[in-house]
Amino acid sequence: MTSPAPRPAATAPCALADLRTVLADTGADAAFDAAAVLGVTHDSRQVRPGDLYAALPGAHVHGARFAAQAFAAGAVAVLTDPAGAHLIATDSDRDGSPTPALALSSLSAAGSAPVPVLVSADPRRDLAAVAARVYGDPSARLRLLGVTGTNGKTTTAFLLDAGLRAAGHTTGLIGTVETRVGAQRLASAHTTPEASDLQALLALMVERGVDAAAMEISSHALAQHRADALHVAGALFTNLSQDHLDFHPTMEDYFEAKATLFAPGRADVAVIGVADPWGRRLAARRPDAITFAVEGPADWTVAQLSAGPTGSDLVAHGPRGLRVPLSVPLPGRFNVANALGALALLVAVGVDANRAAAGIGALPGVPGRMERVEAGQPFLALVDFAHTPDAVTTLLETVRPLVKGRLITVLGCGGDRDRGKRPLMGEAAATLADLAILTSDNPRSEDPAAILAEMLAGVPAHLRVDSRVLVRPDRSTAIAAAVAAAGPQDAVVVAGKGHESGQEQAGVITPFDDRIVLRAALDALDAGHRAAAEGPTGRVRG
């Protein structure tokens, strides 16, 4: 059984007649228009009495196949497409239940249907508006800030949350690492939840007194309409580089999905990073956008930058002569850009600049993002989520000046994802590290050896023969090998999984946290050193 998706404790009943309005249906049927809907879910296993069940077409099976399960759990209505409506009717015929009298318009005729069936040409698109209506349009009662882009979404969302809290807001957070409702932390299954879960989560926030929220918005969510029907006070674009080309056919399609968040009527305020050409293209489409770039030209830029191994100090220069001293508690130039964008958006939506800066400066860190693992070792050990060619390059270039010794990295590529980035990631690891250990990430349904072969295809030939590149398919073994190879003043960087707590292969998720495995390897190294120092008698050699 899946974990229940977060929902508000109480929801005002929504009449099906109101949902008819959402779907622009002009008919009427008194037999069921007064029926009350109390919740919405797309997962038949999560149906509660009074729910509308969204039977969506899936990659392998149509959600209508589970309609009977939804009815049994208490669903009072179904939203589906014509194919789903036909499946519900067919399944009812097969098991002897009454066959719904389906009209292929927005709403079925009542007939002898066990529940009314709302039929939409694109139920995934319409689900967001339906769920928003059922849950009372919760995003309209929040100051909602959305972040999209390839890299930096999670960190920027954490920075926004920190700035909002410093300004006195009770906040919510939705993203890859965690979901937070006030002080309560919840696990995240997706960067951006499905529309029904997202609207329920926002309603829960409102119920708990949250008045501002920061959320990551993925390209998948935008393309699949999960983020439709949101009232976005401010949207931020970080950057764009190759990723998700297993889902998007081209980079252009990937960009256009991101760009929809900045279309007219989607976000009241737009803040756009213009350090890359994609951002500059996006800013050209939105003349009122506020732009940012560490070096400019942009509305927000950086001066007096002083960077160190644990973070940076700078003065942020904003519109109308605004000057804001800012401490960024996260290392790397890319985190300076993340903090600058967060500050720009916070100020744009009315947060006091100095309070926003104080909140950003007080952020203790972001799980799995340049996260240090300390066990008394004489070298730097980091875990990071970098899983794109650009992110791996930026990560290793950031760590390089932090150490006097060698840079050692452990890296894998996920299965069932963009295959085109694998050789690029292999090349980045091999050329920028002194020792690259290639390993498995989440193979999912693919052969780990095949993934590694594609990574190796990008490694220059001369680096394969001088022992700068090793292949260790088992990730634990790869991490242990990196630790064993490290000496004083070196750096070990384990990249790709970051905050993740499991490894998926062949449909099975095994507990695996890079931070825990890395710490265990460091502890084992320390224990080995102590044993060697004590000698066979247990006495310290001297």
Side-chain angles (χ1 to χ4, degrees):
M1 179 69 179
T2 58
S3 299
R7 294 202 201 184
T11 304
C14 176
L16 275 173
D18 291 339
L19 301 186
R20 182 194 296 283
T21 303
V22 171
L23 295 170
D25 185 270
T26 58
D29 194 319
F32 56 79
D33 268 7
V37 176
L38 301 176
V40 184
T41 182
H42 65 284
D43 186 340
S44 62
R45 298 165 297 181
Q46 305 260 1
V47 170
R48 301 180 187 179
D51 274 358
L52 178 147
Y53 169 54
L56 305 178
H60 304 292
V61 64
H62 201 293
R65 293 291 187 191
F66 307 102
Q69 182 178 344
F71 300 155
V76 297
V78 176
L79 171 66
T80 192
D81 60 4
H86 176 73
L87 285 170
I88 293 171
T90 302
D91 287 347
S92 295
D93 279 340
R94 184 177 299 121
D95 66 14
S97 301
T99 301
L102 297 170
L104 299 186
S105 57
S106 294
L107 208 56
S108 78
S112 58
V115 301
V117 178
L118 295 80
V119 184
S120 164
D122 190 346
R124 187 176 290 279
R125 177 201 62 206
D126 291 334
L127 176 59
V130 166
R133 178 63 65 89
V134 169
Y135 288 113
D137 204 9
S139 65
R141 291 178 280 167
L142 295 167
R143 181 179 290 184
L144 182 63
L145 307 181
V147 185
T148 197
T150 301
N151 299 312
K153 293 190 298 297
T154 296
T155 297
T156 301
F158 269 76
L159 291 164
L160 289 170
D161 177 75
L164 289 168
R165 284 187 285 109
H169 289 283
T170 300
T171 64
L173 180 68
I174 303 172
T176 306
V177 172
E178 69 181 21
T179 295
R180 193 185 310 140
V181 180
Q184 183 184 11
R185 284 178 166 82
L186 307 169
S188 293
H190 300 286
T191 298
T192 311
E194 291 286 353
S196 52
D197 291 344
L198 176 58
Q199 294 291 339
L201 176 60
L202 293 171
L204 175 63
M205 289 182 181
V206 171
E207 184 178 71
R208 298 271 183 89
V210 169
D211 59 10
M215 66 175 292
E216 300 176 50
I217 303 180
S218 67
S219 63
H220 292 67
L222 289 164
Q224 295 175 341
H225 303 286
R226 295 183 217 162
D228 287 7
L230 293 179
H231 298 270
V232 181
L236 187 150
F237 177 88
T238 58
N239 51 64
L240 198 79
S241 61
Q242 183 175 338
D243 199 11
H244 302 307
L245 295 189
D246 54 309
F247 179 81
H248 299 284
T250 63
M251 282 295 293
E252 191 70 23
D253 184 79
Y254 181 32
F255 168 73
E256 291 297 344
K258 297 284 190 185
T260 60
L261 185 60
F262 300 85
R266 289 298 297 270
D268 297 338
V269 172
V271 172
I272 299 174
V274 291
D276 68 49
W278 298 102
R280 293 191 288 275
R281 278 184 60 185
L282 183 59
R285 296 184 181 184
R286 180 89 188 231
D288 65 335
I290 297 164
T291 59
F292 70 94
V294 173
E295 294 183 343
D299 297 316
W300 282 87
T301 59
V302 166
Q304 298 171 237
L305 176 60
S306 174
T310 60
S312 303
D313 293 310
L314 57 98
V315 176
H317 287 207
R320 298 176 295 280
L322 186 62
R323 302 289 183 267
V324 186
L326 180 63
S327 292
V328 182
L330 308 168
R333 188 180 184 86
F334 62 96
N335 278 319
V336 171
N338 291 333
L340 183 65
L343 178 64
L345 180 54
L346 289 166
V347 172
V349 297
V351 175
D352 177 79
N354 292 317
R355 287 191 175 187
I360 289 171
L363 183 68
V366 180
R369 272 59 176 176
M370 291 283 283
E371 185 173 350
R372 289 175 179 256
V373 178
E374 298 287 351
Q377 77 277 4
F379 54 85
L380 178 65
L382 296 171
V383 169
D384 193 81
F385 192 53
H387 62 285
T388 70
D390 182 69
V392 172
T393 297
T394 300
L395 171 65
L396 297 181
E397 288 179 345
T398 296
V399 176
R400 173 63 71 183
L402 303 182
V403 294
K404 296 179 180 179
R406 295 194 308 159
L407 176 55
I408 302 167
T409 189
V410 177
L411 180 69
C413 289
D416 301 335
R417 299 294 186 266
D418 179 5
R419 294 177 57 185
K421 67 183 183 181
R422 294 172 185 172
L424 301 176
M425 290 173 63
E427 179 184 19
T431 55
L432 295 174
D434 298 297
L435 173 62
I437 304 177
L438 305 186
T439 188
S440 294
D441 188 299
N442 291 303
R444 299 185 177 90
S445 70
E446 291 193 60
D447 178 2
I451 297 174
L452 285 165
E454 292 183 345
M455 292 184 71
L456 277 170
V459 176
H462 70 281
L463 297 180
R464 299 190 206 181
V465 297
D466 64 2
S467 299
R468 282 187 56 177
V469 178
L470 303 176
V471 177
R472 300 290 184 269
D474 178 77
R475 195 171 181 90
S476 294
T477 301
I479 292 172
V483 167
Q489 300 184 323
D490 287 350
V492 171
V493 179
V494 182
K497 288 175 60 60
H499 65 284
E500 293 178 357
S501 59
Q503 186 173 39
E504 183 178 353
Q505 183 171 5
V508 177
I509 298 178
T510 303
F512 196 105
D513 188 317
D514 279 351
R515 297 163 295 184
I516 294 174
V517 175
L518 177 56
R519 183 177 296 279
L522 293 170
D523 288 342
L525 179 71
D526 182 56
H529 287 166
R530 288 199 306 270
E534 292 172 356
T537 64
R539 297 177 180 175
V540 176
R541 291 173 175 169

